[in-house]
Amino acid sequence: MKEKIKSWVLVVLILGSLVESYYLIYRLPGSDSAVLSKNLYVKTDNMGPEEKVENLLYPDRMVIHMGEDKHTLFYPSSTFYNLILNRMNGRSFESFQRRSVQDFDWDKIRRENPGIELSFGSGIPVTLLQRVMQISPDSLFEGESIDRIWIYNVKNDSKAHAIFFSTRGDIVYEAAKADLTVQDVQQHVDFGRNLTRYTTVNGDYYLPEAAVPLVEVAMPAGMYTIEQMQSNLFFDAGSTRYIPEKDGSKIYTDSKRSLQVDQEQNWMSYSDPAALPDGDSTPAKDALEAVDFVNRHGGWNGTYRLAATEEGRQDRKVTFQQYYGAYPSGSYPIMGNPQLQYGVIHLELQQGTVSSYERSLMYMDEGKSEKTIVELSGGEALKQQLAQINNVQRITDLTPAYMPSLKENKLQLHPVWRVTLLDGSVLTLN
């Protein structure tokens, strides 16, 4: 009897030793998960598929000018936006002539001339734009970044005019040869004839004359684990050590690189100050390197657009904006906010090498979404709201957007008007 008891005790001790050995060998430092619950994370290392830079380069909107001071707007993934963009990308532009922006009466062109205006936000380097549009190489032109392309007809003129706006603000480039006829431009303009009318306010932004319908959505929110991010970002995740911070955030480091996780915001910040710069840096090359870095370190958990390549004192910041929506209704940017950082991927590069990488650890499970159609205000009601803001500070942009919130493990996207002011600050109107 004693021998049987001894045998069972020995078995229990051996099993306990095996379990303890498993945790000591296989449990990585910091493998605790930044998740909302046990079931809200994925176990693969990839956060999403890789993406080609060409799929991240597209206008944030199209303004259709119909003459007689009538306008309408198309947004990404909407029916006519896709149709016009596909046609534009198949046409060639060459023989660029540099001109002053003061050479044109833009207010008159906006009011009277049928045309299409493509907006690229804070701008795209021409060498990247050449990847999606047939722009002939031009030594004078290709060093620029472009924030608008305006193609329009002039009465009694047999050719269409194509103007590319430099982000510098004082220079435009006119394509002397454009593979577009007057009839092509007019056909594109006619797509907007029966859609919501917009009026321009000082040429700064466009105000809809009627309410704008958007989809409000709620969907399960998944969460990527700290272990996944360690595996994606460190050469040897097992060599990292964990440092708790006073503000509740966690830092994981291998003594060279660091990964800081804010578990309240579900936001990660990766830093590699020891990255060796290769010394070769341009806005286009940095944007390509940023895309490649995201491809190699997690991938893309949704639809994104290259939103900015801003140059700082010693680095360049590249930002990718996440969009939500789909054909044929259109897609719109997801705004971050102080309560929930979400919707953007930030990278900083020094001389062509990524030194900082920030993004949310949260992702959307779109297959189980609950959708409701809501309306953003338009017409006189919206006009009065904006007039009150304009009295305090000039409004430079107005666009539909989504404000995210997290409730009961569900990510909710609420349609709002995003109002951008002259100083760069942003307000929202529901």
Side-chain angles (χ1 to χ4, degrees):
M1 183 68 178
K2 290 182 179 179
E3 293 300 324
K4 288 185 178 181
I5 293 173
K6 288 180 180 179
S7 298
W8 279 110
V9 170
L10 183 61
V11 169
V12 171
L13 290 173
I14 291 173
L15 289 174
S17 177
L18 289 173
V19 171
E20 184 177 5
S21 298
Y22 172 85
Y23 276 95
L24 288 173
I25 294 173
Y26 294 103
R27 185 172 174 80
L28 294 174
S31 62
D32 39 14
S33 172
V35 297
L36 299 177
S37 73
K38 294 180 180 179
N39 299 320
L40 290 178
Y41 66 91
V42 295
K43 297 182 179 180
T44 60
D45 286 337
N46 289 329
M47 300 167 70
E50 295 186 3
E51 191 61 274
K52 295 180 179 179
V53 68
E54 289 82 356
N55 295 332
L56 306 172
L57 306 175
Y58 51 91
D60 58 10
R61 79 197 71 180
M62 294 179 183
V63 185
I64 306 301
H65 306 289
M66 294 174 282
E68 300 178 356
D69 206 17
K70 296 177 180 179
H71 319 271
T72 194
L73 270 64
F74 299 149
Y75 289 97
S77 300
S78 62
T79 303
F80 293 128
Y81 175 102
N82 287 351
L83 181 58
I84 293 174
L85 187 62
N86 288 336
R87 290 184 178 181
M88 289 295 176
N89 290 347
R91 302 306 176 100
S92 61
F93 303 88
E94 54 187 294
S95 301
F96 291 93
Q97 300 174 355
R98 183 173 176 173
R99 302 180 63 178
S100 169
V101 72
Q102 303 297 332
D103 292 345
F104 301 82
D105 186 345
W106 298 112
D107 288 336
K108 182 178 179 181
I109 292 172
R110 183 183 292 106
R111 290 193 311 270
E112 299 179 3
N113 296 70
I116 309 132
E117 188 178 349
L118 311 183
S119 167
F120 290 93
S122 61
I124 292 180
V126 169
T127 49
L128 286 183
L129 204 55
Q130 288 174 321
R131 289 172 169 261
V132 292
M133 298 184 72
Q134 297 185 40
I135 299 173
S136 296
D138 187 300
S139 58
L140 181 68
F141 182 45
E142 61 188 12
E144 296 280 2
S145 288
I146 299 301
D147 58 14
R148 276 191 298 165
I149 301 174
W150 199 332
I151 302 169
Y152 62 91
N153 292 338
V154 176
K155 190 175 181 179
N156 300 323
D157 195 334
S158 61
K159 72 168 188 175
H161 294 254
I163 311 295
F164 292 68
F165 290 72
S166 167
T167 54
R168 290 190 288 173
D170 59 341
I171 295 296
V172 297
Y173 292 83
E174 182 168 10
K177 296 181 180 179
D179 183 24
L180 278 165
T181 66
V182 169
Q183 289 74 25
D184 290 332
V185 176
Q186 188 61 54
Q187 184 183 54
H188 296 158
V189 168
D190 288 341
F191 291 151
R193 291 293 179 191
N194 298 319
L195 300 180
T196 301
R197 291 280 188 271
Y198 285 72
T199 56
T200 183
V201 180
N202 303 321
D204 292 331
Y205 60 94
Y206 290 85
L207 181 72
E209 296 181 357
V212 177
L214 258 73
V215 173
E216 185 173 69
V217 62
M219 65 195 88
M223 208 69 63
Y224 301 107
T225 69
I226 295 173
E227 180 178 320
Q228 283 178 276
M229 298 316 305
Q230 287 179 304
S231 177
N232 278 321
L233 294 167
F234 295 103
F235 295 116
D236 180 8
S239 68
T240 60
R241 57 193 177 91
Y242 158 59
I243 304 172
E245 291 289 280
K246 292 181 179 179
D247 62 2
S249 63
K250 297 181 177 181
I251 295 180
Y252 303 84
T253 179
D254 62 358
S255 298
K256 295 181 180 179
R257 292 158 288 270
S258 66
L259 171 65
Q260 184 170 6
V261 177
D262 182 340
Q263 291 191 294
E264 287 189 6
Q265 290 278 353
N266 302 311
W267 185 261
M268 57 142 279
S269 301
Y270 169 77
S271 177
D272 187 6
L276 295 176
D278 59 18
D280 189 10
S281 174
T282 66
K285 288 182 179 179
D286 283 354
L288 290 170
E289 174 59 27
V291 173
D292 187 52
F293 188 91
V294 176
N295 283 340
R296 288 185 283 112
H297 297 285
W300 306 83
N301 61 319
T303 300
Y304 285 83
R305 186 181 72 86
L306 175 63
T309 55
E310 302 171 335
E311 190 164 4
R313 290 183 179 180
Q314 296 181 337
D315 57 16
R316 181 173 284 110
K317 298 178 181 179
V318 179
T319 301
F320 299 98
Q321 173 70 62
Q322 187 174 3
Y323 277 65
Y324 176 79
Y327 175 88
S329 58
S331 59
Y332 306 91
I334 302 174
M335 298 177 58
N337 61 75
Q339 288 72 42
L340 181 61
Q341 293 189 71
Y342 188 77
V344 292
I345 297 176
H346 293 298
L347 299 100
E348 291 184 9
L349 297 95
Q350 294 183 347
Q351 294 181 285
T353 302
V354 173
S355 60
S356 175
Y357 175 41
E358 298 184 32
R359 68 185 297 168
S360 175
L361 290 172
M362 190 163 52
Y363 69 92
M364 302 182 291
D365 184 357
E366 296 188 44
K368 300 177 182 179
S369 59
E370 302 169 5
K371 299 180 180 179
T372 307
I373 300 295
V374 300
E375 289 187 338
L376 291 177
S377 60
E380 192 61 32
L382 179 60
K383 185 177 181 180
Q384 291 180 7
Q385 286 180 294
L386 296 175
Q388 293 178 2
I389 298 172
N390 237 342
N391 288 335
V392 178
Q393 188 173 169
R394 179 179 165 187
I395 297 173
T396 59
D397 188 43
L398 175 72
T399 188
Y402 283 107
M403 180 68 73
S405 66
L406 196 59
K407 185 177 181 181
E408 298 178 352
N409 296 346
K410 284 191 175 183
L411 180 65
Q412 300 181 336
L413 299 180
H414 309 278
V416 297
W417 282 115
R418 184 181 69 187
V419 182
T420 306
L421 304 179
L422 185 61
D423 64 0
S425 59
V426 174
L427 304 174
T428 60
L429 299 175
N430 293 325

